[in-house]
Every structure is written in structure tokens, then in C-alpha cells.
Amino acid sequence: MNAAPARVRQWKPALTAIIAGGLAGLVAILTYQVMLLLQHLIWETAAPEDGVGPVRIVLTILTGGALLLLLARVGPSESVDELLGDSDSPLGRSPRKILVTALVAIVSIAFGGAIGPEAGLLAVVAECSVIVSRFIARDEAQARAIAQAGVAGALGGLYGSPPAAAAIDRDGESLAPSRIMSFVAGISGFLVFLFVARTVFGGQGMAEIPLPEAQPGEAWLVIVPVLAGAAFGILFRMLHHGADGIAARIGKPWLVTIIGTVLFAALAAAIPLVRFSGHHELLELPALLADGASGELWLLAAAKLVAMILCLVAGWRGGEVFPLIFIGAAAGAGTALLLPGVDPAAAVAGAMAATLAVGWRRPLAALLVLVLVVDVSAVMPLLLGVGVGIALDRLIFPQPAGEED
């Protein structure tokens, strides 16, 4: 008599993960497209054929900063890590804070912030999860399952990697067996995200990372661009920590936003490619590589790193993944030009992996993201990059005694 209800209870977690993850994937792709549309309207409407000039870049970014200051008066916003952590206690979330975070993140992307779209997607999905939970969740555990499935579904679609989405948590990454439902949700979100991106938006928004054309080369030389990429990841961690310390000493968030926005605007006017997440700007790197612009590539990697730190510290809400990938790709391409004997495709792949593994502090998730969105021939450089990244991370940033990995 009780067999049917028992089977329903047995399958309920999987059904929750599939449905919530799929809906999150749909919300994520629609939100991302809104961000891209606003970005297009702001930057490309009435733009001259030779591109947006430095004056317009400065004025546009300053306008974005002014909007962020106005939103800060409405309420505080959250970082990506804070959004991930809040999924553990969804019923205690503040709808006002989630809404402000979503608006801040959308403004950040639309007005050219050097960060990824994760914060906006997670905030919108979180708002939907809160609404759904209030109607159907019977307790905190069920609300938590819905919220975590939403996170996995959104990130699984954005990154094109359900296993990476399942591994990500606020403090780093986890391979606990309890995250199997997050993996299921990640697959569901990825499939919905992919289907809508392809059928409705012509593939725009999909996580594709192009590599330079492969060439014969000495395999051992790949270690050089890998080390260069890891150095940028280390530099990001150190400079970000130092910038956070300076912001804390200033003590006034509105002043930090003004200073960071002005510096970012000046940097973007001088080097326009530092704007945006870096996802679509990766298409510019092969041309720089073909032109032999090694110095320009190195300068671009350094400038992008500074731009991302300025945005993150100044309250431009977003993620680090796509900017770090861009930085690693630029560093790898620049290094390849200095080493004629290295395969440029392997150099770029290895450097990207090392930069992301160290800078993001999630080496396994970094590998799972990259291995599913780059050419399969780059697997060995990716493994080398992540391996070197892990070794240098543990050497330079040792964890306190007694703290688990």
C-alpha cells in the first residue's frame, strides 16, 4: 500500500534537481541575453565604424559607476562567493538584497565591467528559487535543495560544464557524494541553456574557448607558458588581497567605488580590450598572435588583471572565471611568440589552465570547465597547467594548520 509513496519520496530529490536545474538554466540564458543586449545597446548603438573612442569609454564607465552608487543607497549587494554561500540557507535570504545584487550585476556587465556575468545570473536564479520555495518547499532542507539545484543549473549552463558546477561551493570546491544532485541539476541546466542558446539566440552565450592553430613543437617547452600563466594567477591573488586591504583602510564604500571606477575608466580608455568579461574578446587574440605582438599581449594580460581587480574591489559585481581565462590566454600567446619552438595552441591552453587554477582557487573545477570547452588535443597542456597551478598554490598560499582542503 505504501510502495507508491515510497517510490515518490525516493525519486523526489532527483526530480527536484532536474526541474529546478532546468528552470535555472532557462533563467540563466535569458538573463545573460538581457545583459548582452543592454551591453550592445550601450556600447554599439550609434558607434563609429572604427570603434568607440576613449571619451565615450570614460563617460560610459563613469555612468555605470554612478548607477552603482545609486543602487548602493537602496541596499547592499553580494559577491559571487556570498551568493554561493547563501544557497545553504535560502529561507533566510533577503529578497531586497538579492534584487539589488541582480541590478548591480546587470549594470556591471552592461557598462563594460571587466568581470563575468555569474553574480547577475546567480542573483536572478536565487530570487526565483526564493519565490518557488515559498510556494512548494515544506522545510529548510527542501528549500536548500531547490536553491542549490538553481546554482548548479545556472553555472552548468554558463560554463558548459555540469561537473564543474556541481563541485563549486563558496569556500572552493567539494567532491562530497552529497553533491550528486547538484551534478544532476547541472546537467539539466546545461541542456536547457544549450538548447535555448542554439535554437533561439544562434549560439550566442555558449561557453566556447577558441585556441590558435596548432603547430608542431617541443612538448617540454609548454612548461614556460604554464609558469607564466601561473604567475598571473598568483599576482591576481596577491594584488586582490592588497587592494581589499586598501579599500578597508579607506573605510567608505562609496569612495572606493568612485576611485576604482575612475581608475578603471582611465585604463579602459587607454586599452579598450580590458572591458567586458573577456569571453568574446578571446576572438581578438589570434590576430594579435598572427601580428607577432608579444609585448602587446603581455601588456593586455597585465592590464586586464588590474582592470578586474579594480572592478571587484569597487563593487562591480561579477565573476573571475572568464577574465582569468582571457589573462591566461594572452600570457600564453605572448610567451609562445618568444618561444618559436612551442606549439601556440598548447601554450595558450596550458597558461589558461594555470591562471584559472591558481587565481580562482578551484583547480578541479578549472580543469572541468576548460576540458569540456576547448579542443580535445589540448588535454595534456590543460592537465600540466592545473597540476603546476596546484603545486604553486600550495607552495605560495599554504593553508593554516588543521584546515581541510
Side-chain angles (χ1 to χ4, degrees):
M1 292 293 293
N2 295 327
R7 283 196 296 270
V8 171
R9 286 194 298 270
Q10 180 181 359
W11 286 100
K12 191 172 183 178
L15 290 173
T16 299
I18 292 170
I19 296 172
L23 290 175
L26 176 61
V27 171
I29 184 60
L30 295 178
T31 304
Y32 192 23
Q33 291 301 323
V34 170
M35 290 178 170
L36 295 177
L37 176 62
L38 291 174
Q39 194 178 88
H40 173 80
L41 292 174
I42 290 168
W43 290 100
E44 298 182 25
T45 301
E49 293 183 2
D50 57 349
V52 178
V55 174
R56 180 167 174 180
I57 289 175
V58 169
L59 292 177
T60 303
I61 291 175
L62 292 181
T63 301
L67 290 174
L68 296 181
L69 289 172
L70 290 175
L71 288 170
R73 295 181 65 86
V74 177
S77 60
E78 296 182 292
S79 67
V80 171
D81 284 344
E82 289 169 336
L83 288 165
L84 292 172
D86 286 350
S87 66
D88 290 335
S89 53
L91 295 182
R93 279 179 158 175
S94 165
R96 182 188 184 92
K97 183 183 289 187
I98 296 173
L99 178 60
V100 171
T101 300
L103 293 174
V104 167
I106 290 171
V107 168
S108 299
I109 294 299
F111 283 84
I115 32 82
E118 292 93 327
L121 306 191
L122 290 177
V124 174
V125 168
E127 188 73 36
C128 294
S129 297
V130 168
I131 294 171
V132 171
S133 295
R134 286 178 176 173
F135 280 99
I136 68 172
R138 296 182 177 179
D139 51 31
E140 178 77 18
Q142 192 171 5
R144 185 184 304 115
I146 293 171
Q148 292 177 345
V151 168
L155 295 183
L158 177 66
Y159 295 150
S161 176
I168 295 169
D169 61 27
R170 176 177 183 171
D171 299 318
E173 54 193 6
S174 172
L175 292 178
S178 60
R179 301 191 70 84
I180 185 64
M181 287 302 114
S182 292
F183 178 57
V184 173
I187 294 175
S188 180
F190 165 72
L191 292 175
V192 173
F193 190 103
L194 182 68
F195 175 78
V196 176
R198 284 182 172 174
T199 58
V200 180
F201 301 108
Q204 186 182 41
M206 293 169 54
E208 295 178 342
I209 300 176
L211 293 178
E213 185 177 350
Q215 299 175 9
E218 296 290 338
W220 66 272
L221 283 176
V222 177
I223 190 64
V224 180
V226 163
L227 291 173
F232 273 98
I234 293 167
L235 192 59
F236 167 69
R237 297 265 297 275
M238 291 180 169
L239 291 179
H240 191 192
H241 179 73
D244 281 338
I246 293 173
R249 285 195 292 274
I250 293 174
K252 298 178 179 178
W254 62 267
L255 183 57
V256 173
T257 297
I258 292 174
I259 294 172
T261 299
V262 169
L263 293 175
F264 171 52
L267 181 58
I271 308 175
L273 269 180
V274 302
R275 295 170 299 157
F276 314 124
S277 70
H279 184 188
H280 302 291
E281 289 66 43
L282 283 169
L283 299 175
E284 304 287 340
L285 296 185
L288 295 174
L289 185 62
D291 292 341
S294 176
E296 189 173 345
L297 284 163
W298 277 91
L299 176 62
L300 181 57
K304 183 70 172 183
L305 184 146
V306 173
M308 176 171 57
I309 292 172
L310 288 172
C311 287
L312 291 173
V313 174
W316 290 62
R317 296 302 191 186
E320 306 162 2
V321 173
F322 291 122
L324 286 171
I325 289 173
F326 180 88
I327 291 166
T335 307
L337 290 172
L338 301 177
L339 294 173
V342 70
D343 173 11
V348 169
M352 283 194 305
T355 304
L356 187 58
V358 178
W360 197 25
R361 298 172 291 114
R362 296 176 172 93
L364 175 61
L367 178 61
L368 293 173
V369 167
L370 292 174
V371 78
L372 292 179
V373 294
V374 301
D375 190 88
V376 68
S377 62
V379 169
M380 293 309 296
L382 292 179
L383 290 172
L384 177 63
V386 171
V388 169
I390 293 172
L392 290 177
D393 177 72
R394 300 203 173 194
L395 178 66
I396 298 173
F397 305 104
Q399 291 183 326
E403 184 176 315
E404 295 182 359
D405 291 347

